Amino acid sequence: MDTIIPYNNDIIKSDGAIITPKDDIILISDNHDIFAKKYLENIDNLNKEELILLNAWLKNNNEIIKTYLDFMIYVLGYDKIQTKFTKSIVTTTNIPHIKYYNYYLMDWYIDINKKIIYNEKNNTFEKEIITDPIKFYKDKELQEEIFDIKSKILKKERYLFFK
């Protein structure tokens, strides 16, 4: 089964977090954009393919991607957790109800977006088209389960249903 991110109360106390494509949580104390720029400028954080993508992105004047943070989220598959004004997560996962099951239970807003891939032929970044009916079906099942729990259980007791 796909990874479910454990609910982490420390995230609420922080200035937010970044979740890596390997589902590691990095609590941040900077603004997300500042963190992303510092993170991407440290070449030890990127593999060869990611460096090639970053260089293409920096050369590409594309309307879709504006910041280093956008690059991390939409191209590399990192997720952004905001906690200052709202409890929300920006993600490009195609299984949000699986990955963020516990956060949905606790009424977090999950902003689901399309991943962006690099088209070498056209030297452009384009939105990815995903078709995986099995994962879609599993995610839909959990979406219904979350809705059912939230309609019957008080928020203060929903942690009992964490996965």
Side-chain angles (χ1 to χ4, degrees), residues 87-104:
K87 294 187 301 187
S88 65
I89 299 172
V90 178
T91 185
T92 58
T93 184
N94 59 351
I95 52 166
H97 296 92
I98 296 171
K99 187 170 183 177
Y100 290 110
Y101 182 91
N102 300 324
Y103 291 84
Y104 272 110

Side-chain angles (χ1 to χ4, degrees), residues 102-140:
N102 300 324
Y103 291 84
Y104 272 110
L105 281 180
M106 300 309 288
D107 295 331
W108 282 62
Y109 173 72
I110 314 297
D111 182 9
I112 307 160
N113 298 276
K114 296 273 188 201
K115 190 166 182 166
I116 296 173
I117 57 171
Y118 181 61
N119 181 331
E120 289 183 47
K121 273 186 183 174
N122 300 336
N123 191 30
T124 58
F125 288 90
E126 303 166 352
K127 290 188 177 184
E128 182 178 44
I129 298 171
I130 299 172
T131 53
D132 186 343
I134 295 171
K135 283 190 176 187
F136 176 79
Y137 180 75
K138 286 180 185 177
D139 194 69
K140 191 73 174 160

Side-chain angles (χ1 to χ4, degrees), residues 56-67:
W57 175 76
L58 292 172
K59 291 176 186 172
N60 191 308
N61 188 14
N62 193 315
E63 291 293 317
I64 297 173
I65 304 171
K66 301 283 186 193
T67 67

Side-chain angles (χ1 to χ4, degrees), residues 30-97:
D30 277 335
N31 168 292
H32 283 88
D33 291 314
I34 293 169
F35 172 84
K37 188 171 186 332
K38 288 178 185 175
Y39 187 88
L40 292 173
E41 286 176 346
N42 180 351
I43 61 169
D44 293 337
N45 290 328
L46 302 176
N47 63 36
K48 184 180 176 182
E49 292 80 21
E50 292 168 335
L51 281 171
I52 291 168
L53 284 172
L54 179 59
N55 286 329
W57 175 76
L58 292 172
K59 291 176 186 172
N60 191 308
N61 188 14
N62 193 315
E63 291 293 317
I64 297 173
I65 304 171
K66 301 283 186 193
T67 67
Y68 283 98
L69 181 59
D70 288 340
F71 177 78
M72 285 181 74
I73 294 169
Y74 299 108
V75 178
L76 298 183
Y78 287 74
D79 294 339
K80 170 185 157 184
I81 298 180
Q82 297 176 165
T83 57
K84 286 200 179 200
F85 303 108
T86 178
K87 294 187 301 187
S88 65
I89 299 172
V90 178
T91 185
T92 58
T93 184
N94 59 351
I95 52 166
H97 296 92

